[in-house]
Amino acid sequence: MERMTAPAPASRRVLLAAPRGYCAGVDRAVIAVEKALEQYGAPVYVRHEIVHNKYVVQTLQKKGAIFVEKTEEVPPGNIVMFSAHGVAPVVHEEAARGRLATIDATCPLVTKVHKEAIRYANEDFDILLIGHEGHEEVIGTSGEAPDHITIVDGPDDVAKVEVRDESKVVWLSQTTLSVDETMETVDALKQKFPLLVSPPSDDICYATSNRQAAVKAMGAEADLVVVVGSKNSSNSIRLVEVALDAGARAAHLVDFASEIDEAWLEGVTTVGLTSGASVPEVLVEEVLEWLAQRGFADVEIVKTAEESIVFSLPKELRRDLRTEAAELVAGGAEE
Ligand code: 0CG
Ligand code: SF4
């Protein structure tokens, strides 16, 4: 009898992007909340999600962090922490009015863009801030100089941009944009304003660019790219777009392994896997396990950069903020 052999299945593999996951700014911000909880006990109020990740937020909530959207929601005499995405100066004023002690967990690379905005506004430039309208970071940066800043939300927005003086225009950007799309926007702006000045250094941060470069390197080979990250995480969403632009047949953003649809694996032999800058590695490990259970146990690392940046913790964590907050309230009562 002739022996029938089924065709051997093409070998299934995972291409795992490196770098992926936590950047230095996220690591610092999350540790800052944990330290504040340790130092002062719960609750610690955090204005806005400390980073845009569901799991991180839920984990910190369980430890006693309370996330609020408005400074006014924090009762006087408490500590409020500002998220990694940064805040406008008006938010610092709100905190002072509300007699709150503050810990600023704004990423130093976002602060750098704030400083550039202040400097160009002082020189009376019109600032074209490339970024996503309504994103927390863009709200914070534009709040530094609202009269000088116009938000440009991608290349399609360029046609409607108007400036006071074409010889005094500079572009700046949100830190977590698509590198390629931002260059398209800049090219279109340069066509319109030939004297456009560029920022002194890249505003899109190292973590954003490195994660995009890694996913680009694997995109063409992947039948499916899974990006771990939350739906409100700008840098994570960009990884899905970059994967598709690089040639991936499909790409999806998931918070957890449980959100992966089995149907996505139909006809797939190569899965690309990465995660946004606000995503803890444990969530990637869960996806790797989920994939291994379905025959994707062979993991190859696609490494395009080495990262070693670490930021020191916010300086306020070295002060006694509980006493400071109590004094603010006592001072308020005497008035
Ligand atoms: O990518 P965005 O700016 O939306 O933020 P996320 O919290 O996801 O990660 C980096 C930071 C801060
Ligand atoms: Fe800072 Fe970049 Fe991380 Fe944002 S993504 S927190 S700018 S290092």
Side-chain angles (χ1 to χ4, degrees):
M1 199 178 89
E2 204 184 315
R3 200 160 155 210
M4 301 287 289
T5 44
S11 70
R12 294 172 170 175
R13 60 174 184 159
V14 178
L15 300 178
L16 182 60
R20 63 179 176 281
Y22 268 23
C23 60
V26 165
D27 196 40
R28 167 186 191 259
V30 174
I31 295 175
V33 180
E34 288 167 348
K35 284 250 183 254
L37 282 163
E38 260 168 52
Q39 241 164 276
Y40 305 114
V44 164
Y45 290 85
V46 184
R47 187 184 174 283
H48 195 69
E49 291 187 353
I50 186 74
V51 298
H52 291 149
N53 186 267
K54 224 185 224 179
Y55 175 88
V56 170
V57 168
Q58 287 169 354
T59 307
L60 292 172
Q61 271 168 337
K62 281 182 205 143
K63 292 184 181 172
I66 298 180
F67 292 91
V68 297
E69 279 309 309
K70 291 199 170 87
T71 321
E72 293 75 22
E73 294 172 57
V74 185
N78 277 284
I79 297 169
V80 66
M81 186 171 300
F82 298 140
S83 80
H85 316 95
V87 292
V90 68
V91 175
H92 287 275
E93 290 158 22
E94 288 165 8
R97 266 202 309 279
R99 307 199 182 280
L100 305 172
T102 58
I103 301 174
D104 191 353
T106 304
C107 176
L109 298 180
V110 173
T111 304
K112 186 199 84 174
V113 183
H114 281 226
K115 286 186 178 151
E116 288 169 357
I118 295 165
R119 178 185 135 203
Y120 284 108
N122 285 341
E123 291 173 24
D124 204 26
F125 271 77
D126 274 347
I127 300 165
L128 306 179
L129 177 65
I130 304 175
H132 298 298
E133 191 104 46
H135 186 280
E136 198 61 17
E137 181 186 324
V138 171
I139 295 170
T141 308
S142 42
E144 291 287 358
D147 298 340
H148 285 81
I149 294 181
T150 304
I151 297 163
V152 184
D153 196 346
D156 297 343
D157 244 13
V158 172
K160 64 172 193 230
V161 176
E162 282 172 21
V163 296
R164 291 170 304 159
D165 174 358
E166 292 196 7
S167 68
K168 268 193 121 174
V169 194
V170 63
W171 72 272
L172 300 178
S173 90
Q174 185 181 335
T175 56
T176 51
L177 299 181
S178 149
V179 173
D180 292 343
E181 193 192 271
T182 304
M183 283 310 123
E184 258 179 62
T185 310
V186 171
D187 287 346
L189 284 171
K190 279 187 177 157
Q191 289 272 326
K192 188 163 176 175
F193 307 115
L195 299 176
L196 182 71
V197 173
S198 293
S201 62
D202 288 347
D203 288 342
I204 296 182
C205 75
Y206 78 97
T208 298
S209 336
N210 287 349
R211 278 148 195 70
Q212 287 174 20
V215 92
K216 229 182 202 184
M218 65 163 58
E221 281 185 75
D223 305 307
L224 165 72
V225 170
V226 175
V227 178
V228 186
S230 289
K231 308 288 180 280
N232 59 344
S233 167
S234 169
N235 79 89
S236 305
I237 302 165
R238 303 291 80 83
L239 293 174
V240 173
E241 296 168 356
V242 170
L244 292 170
D245 283 350
R249 275 180 28 216
H252 299 280
L253 184 66
V254 296
D255 261 297
F256 303 102
S258 57
E259 288 175 10
I260 305 175
D261 187 340
E262 301 265 358
W264 297 346
L265 292 180
E266 262 166 46
V268 166
T269 51
T270 302
V271 177
L273 178 59
T274 187
S275 56
S278 46
V279 179
E281 189 60 10
V282 62
L283 301 178
V284 173
E285 284 161 9
E286 279 173 19
V287 173
L288 282 172
E289 215 176 288
W290 188 96
L291 288 167
Q293 283 162 5
R294 286 151 184 88
F296 292 85
D298 170 18
V299 179
E300 265 173 59
I301 313 272
V302 177
K303 186 170 188 165
T304 49
E306 195 73 62
E307 289 180 349
S308 55
I309 297 183
V310 180
F311 294 130
S312 56
L313 288 176
K315 58 183 185 320
E316 300 92 336
L317 282 167
R318 294 191 283 271
R319 297 208 302 256
D320 180 1
L321 290 181
R322 276 282 179 230
T323 311
E324 210 167 284
E327 282 168 3
L328 281 169
V329 172
E334 281 161 21
E335 275 169 18

